Amino acid sequence: QVQLVESGGGLVQPGGSLRLSCTASGSIISFNPMGWYRQAPGKERELVAVIPIVGRTNYADSVKGRFTISRENAKNTVYLQMNNLKPEDTAVYYCYGRTGYVEVWGQGTLVTVSS
C-alpha cells in the first residue's frame, strides 16, 4: 500500500507562511481526491482543502484566500501553501488520499502559529 509522508510543519509567527508537502511512496495518479485535514487540540479533525484529479479544488471557509492546494503527480507530491497564518491555524495537519475504496492517511505534521 502507498504511504504518505508529510513535511514542512513548524513554528511560525502570525502573518507568516509555510508550505507543507505530502510525498507518496508510490504513484498518486489514481488518487482521487487528495487533500489536507487538520486537528487542533481538543477538536475534531476537519477538512482543510481537497484537490481532485480533474476539476475544482475545495477549501474550508476558514482558509479560503489564504491557503492553496496543488498536486504534482510526476513527483508523487501534494502541497499546501499557507499564507497569512493565524493562531487558530495551529493544528496537526494530515495528508489524505483515496484510491478506489482505499483511504490513506499520513502521520501528520505539526503547525504552530504563535508570537
Side-chain angles (χ1 to χ4, degrees):
Q1 179 173 317
V2 173
Q3 295 182 326
L4 303 177
V5 178
E6 303 95 334
S7 61
L11 174 64
V12 62
Q13 293 186 342
S17 297
L18 281 175
R19 187 176 82 156
L20 304 182
S21 298
C22 170
T23 301
S25 59
S27 174
I28 64 170
I29 290 177
S30 64
F31 279 72
N32 189 30
M34 295 201 71
W36 290 91
Y37 285 71
R38 68 185 180 186
Q39 187 166 17
K43 295 187 177 181
E44 294 187 353
R45 191 173 297 189
E46 63 176 0
L47 174 69
V48 176
V50 289
I51 182 166
I53 293 175
V54 177
R56 296 177 62 181
T57 55
N58 286 292
Y59 297 92
D61 288 343
S62 59
V63 306
K64 282 181 181 177
R66 300 188 296 123
F67 290 12
T68 303
I69 188 171
S70 61
R71 62 190 291 170
E72 193 167 359
N73 291 338
K75 293 187 176 181
N76 299 324
T77 301
V78 177
Y79 304 98
L80 185 67
Q81 178 66 43
M82 306 185 294
N83 298 327
N84 190 22
L85 282 160
K86 304 176 181 180
E88 52 264 42
D89 294 318
T90 295
V92 177
Y93 284 71
Y94 297 91
C95 182
Y96 163 85
R98 188 180 71 222
T99 176
Y101 296 102
V102 178
E103 295 184 336
V104 184
W105 291 89
Q107 84 290 347
T109 185
L110 176 63
V111 172
T112 303
V113 185
S114 175
S115 55

